[in-house]
Amino acid sequence: MNEPQITLASASPRRAELLRQIGIKFEIRPSNILERQLPRERPEDYVQRLARAKACAVQHDSLPALGADTIVLLEGQILEKPKNRSEALTMLKSLQGERHSVLTGLCLSDGQREQSVLATAEVVFRDAMPGELEKYWESGEPIDKAGAYGIQGLGAIFVAGICGQPSTVAGLPLVETNQLLSEFGVNVWRHREAMLSGGPRH
């Protein structure tokens, strides 16, 4: 009953938590592929290519592998994970009072076929108060986040509005993930009934 239904090609604790949230059993196999945009490659093609590469790199036996990649896009410029404090603060300052896009590419592969999908959300940041961005950096949260913030964590205090799924911004759009798993024959409700049975009855 506890055997994995899929392989997650990511070490991201956020993606793992989102899968647990919807009752999917999985094993983790980070892909460790090189994440670098190709010359003249469009952002939407970039995230989908990386998602496919991650899924295909870890797929084994007949277990479907799920790959995902997320980028923040501001005025056509990709903001990926910051390398240091200076880069993180530069990114965060550029987002203040602005609308930006978050793109997450997904791919599911079972060794015989693969299917990709792209999810997009629009996010608006409020203007930060003096010293807020520096304190946010000191929290440690920005260092491994695309765009230097996490909507599922402390970074949510900067988000004034969002159009799209919050899970897209967090790195794993749940509507599209559920759809892909269902199309590949994964019984997405297998463990959900047990989750629901422990909840309150009305």
Side-chain angles (χ1 to χ4, degrees):
M1 189 69 175
N2 289 319
E3 292 183 357
Q5 296 170 284
I6 65 169
T7 298
L8 176 62
S10 173
S12 166
R14 300 169 297 283
R15 292 189 177 115
E17 181 57 34
L18 286 166
L19 279 179
R20 293 189 190 100
Q21 178 182 321
I22 60 170
I24 302 299
K25 299 291 183 179
F26 58 95
E27 64 175 17
I28 295 176
R29 288 196 176 194
S31 60
N32 299 318
I33 67 165
L34 179 65
E35 300 184 21
R36 181 178 298 168
Q37 188 179 18
L38 301 176
R40 295 182 295 279
E41 186 176 31
R42 299 188 308 164
E44 53 267 42
D45 295 333
Y46 174 45
V47 290
Q48 291 183 91
R49 175 176 62 82
L50 290 185
R52 285 193 298 272
K54 291 176 181 181
C56 293
V58 305
Q59 196 281 323
H60 65 100
D61 301 328
S62 59
L63 203 63
L66 180 65
D69 191 72
T70 301
I71 59 171
V72 169
L73 194 63
L74 177 65
E75 297 179 347
Q77 179 181 359
I78 294 177
L79 306 182
E80 299 198 78
K81 298 174 184 178
K83 298 181 180 66
N84 50 49
R85 179 182 186 275
S86 176
E87 193 168 289
L89 292 177
T90 297
M91 288 183 186
L92 290 167
K93 288 175 182 176
S94 72
L95 295 174
Q96 300 308 294
E98 300 290 341
R99 176 186 297 270
H100 63 271
S101 301
V102 179
L103 282 61
T104 294
L106 287 178
C107 180
L108 195 64
S109 173
D110 63 4
Q112 300 297 317
R113 63 182 177 129
E114 61 185 53
Q115 188 169 337
S116 299
V117 66
L118 177 68
T120 304
E122 299 293 320
V123 180
V124 178
F125 261 35
R126 66 169 172 84
D127 290 319
M129 293 181 286
E132 266 195 310
L133 299 182
E134 289 78 7
K135 290 179 180 177
Y136 181 49
W137 165 258
E138 291 168 5
S139 75
E141 188 174 275
I143 192 63
D144 67 338
K145 309 290 192 301
Y149 77 95
I151 194 174
Q152 72 290 342
L154 182 58
I157 66 172
F158 300 111
V159 177
I162 180 171
C163 180
Q165 297 179 71
S167 57
T168 296
V169 186
L172 193 72
L174 294 180
V175 171
E176 288 81 358
T177 298
N178 187 75
Q179 180 180 346
L180 279 180
L181 295 174
S182 298
E183 290 177 359
F184 272 67
V186 176
N187 183 357
V188 295
W189 283 96
R190 180 179 176 186
H191 302 286
R192 292 175 183 173
E193 293 176 358
M195 293 171 60
L196 294 172
S197 64
R201 296 182 181 276
H202 299 282

